[in-house]
Every structure is written in C-alpha cells, then in structure tokens.
Amino acid sequence: AGADGIAYSRIGKNLLEKGVYHFGEDYNSGILLPYGYPLFVGIANFFLGDLFTAGKLVSLLASLVTIFLLYLIGKEIAQEQAGLFAAFYYAFYPYVMQTSVLVQTESLFFMFFSLAIYFFLLLFREKKLSYLIFFGLATTFSHLIRTEGLVLLIFPFLFLKFKHKREFFKTAFVLLVIFLLLVSPYVL
C-alpha cells in the first residue's frame, strides 16, 4: 500500500480507536492530510479489523458507487445512453481500475465529487433546499478527502440564476454553515 496508504490507514485507526488525529507518537501527519479518507478507512477497519483490507474496500466500494453516479449524471444531462457510456468509460478506464483497489484517496474523492455534481444538476433543474444541502455535504466531503474538491463550491454562484439578493445570500449561508461544521474538526 505505499506511504500514503499507510499514513491514511494509521491516521484513520488512531482517529477511531484513540480519538486522536495523528500518525503515531512522534510523527503528526494529520496536520498535512485531511481527515475524510482516514475517517472512512477507520470506520471500515472497525468492522473488518484489517487496515489495508479496509482501505481497499473503501476504494472499491467508492469506485462502484461512482460508476452508478456517472450513469445518473449522464442520464440527467442528456439521456440514458449518455449515462451508460459515461459509466462504462469510467469503469474501464485503466487508472480507475488501478486506484479502485489501492489505499488511496482518488476513488473516494471521485465518488463525492460526482455526488456533488449530481446534486448540483438536480439543484440546477429545481432549486430545493434538500438538493442544496446534499450538494454542500458532498462538496465538503470531497474537500475533506482531497482539498481540490473545494472548487465545487463556486458552481451555484456561476451557474444558478438568483431572483433576489436574498436568495443568493441564503445559498451562500447554507453552504458556509455546512462547510464550517464539517471542516471545523480538521482546522481546530
């Protein structure tokens, strides 16, 4: 499992077993790595009792969910054939096949990133508070797995049309609250 996989696995285990967010006694990798992936590995390890199997299972399950999400995204944007093509392409892309069984962040990041895009598409079609909340949660989790997920937070402000300033600020407020609540354990 490479150095990253070992660090993510040990941090996740320490997070759940000891309530501390660090690699070991003398080395604190937790400051450098967001807690999203280690948290999921730690939860899986709680049930499996094997760190590396837990990490691989998290990556594999996330890849499988992403295939389905890409189908939904393609279907939402165009039609069912587009969704099938997107899902098939993703499923058989060599990099995805490789990372789906490694203890690395990519698979889980792609899953939450895709989930955020799917909820954004639903939000674009119909402005419902539930879609906004789920978009905010998925975006924040993608950020907590890989920091570049933060870019998704600009989508509503670039693509949604707001009737009033109040609607704009309500959207910004909801996303900010979700983001701060989920990120606060990482920064505190």
Side-chain angles (χ1 to χ4, degrees):
D4 283 353
I6 293 169
Y8 287 122
S9 298
R10 296 232 359 238
I11 290 170
K13 182 178 180 186
N14 288 338
L15 185 62
L16 286 177
E17 289 181 1
K18 300 176 185 173
V20 293
Y21 183 61
H22 62 73
F23 182 85
E25 297 302 320
D26 298 324
Y27 179 71
N28 189 358
S29 189
I31 294 172
L32 303 173
L33 302 171
Y35 74 85
Y37 187 73
L39 178 65
F40 280 89
V41 172
I43 291 169
N45 180 60
F46 181 77
F47 293 104
L48 297 174
D50 183 306
L51 277 175
F52 297 111
T53 302
K56 289 179 176 191
L57 184 64
V58 165
S59 292
L60 179 62
L61 292 176
S63 290
L64 294 173
V65 170
T66 304
I67 292 168
F68 180 67
L69 288 170
L70 289 174
Y71 164 75
L72 293 176
I73 290 168
K75 184 177 170 187
E76 185 70 29
I77 292 173
Q79 57 188 355
E80 187 171 4
Q81 289 85 357
L84 289 171
F85 176 79
F88 184 80
Y89 181 79
Y90 182 83
F92 291 101
Y93 185 65
Y95 181 73
V96 171
M97 292 174 73
Q98 177 187 9
T99 59
S100 68
V101 293
L102 296 176
V103 184
Q104 294 182 347
T105 60
E106 283 80 352
S107 297
L108 195 61
F109 172 74
F110 289 149
M111 184 192 82
F112 278 108
F113 196 88
S114 299
L115 186 63
I117 289 172
Y118 178 66
F119 277 114
F120 177 76
L121 290 172
L122 297 178
L123 181 64
F124 187 77
R125 185 173 38 123
E126 182 183 0
K127 289 183 186 171
K128 289 177 68 174
L129 181 61
S130 60
Y131 294 154
L132 179 63
I133 290 170
F134 287 121
F135 168 77
L137 289 169
T139 297
T140 304
F141 270 110
S142 74
H143 168 71
L144 288 173
I145 294 159
R146 295 183 64 93
T147 54
E148 55 264 43
L150 192 60
V151 73
L152 288 166
L153 284 177
I154 64 171
F155 275 34
F157 308 105
L158 290 177
F159 300 110
L160 293 180
K161 293 181 181 175
F162 298 101
K163 294 177 186 174
H164 308 286
K165 284 185 180 182
R166 182 174 178 216
E167 188 180 17
F168 174 88
F169 287 114
K170 176 185 167 188
T171 299
F173 178 76
V174 168
L175 292 175
L176 182 64
V177 167
I178 291 168
F179 181 78
L180 291 176
L181 284 175
L182 291 175
V183 171
S184 61
Y186 177 57
V187 295
L188 296 178

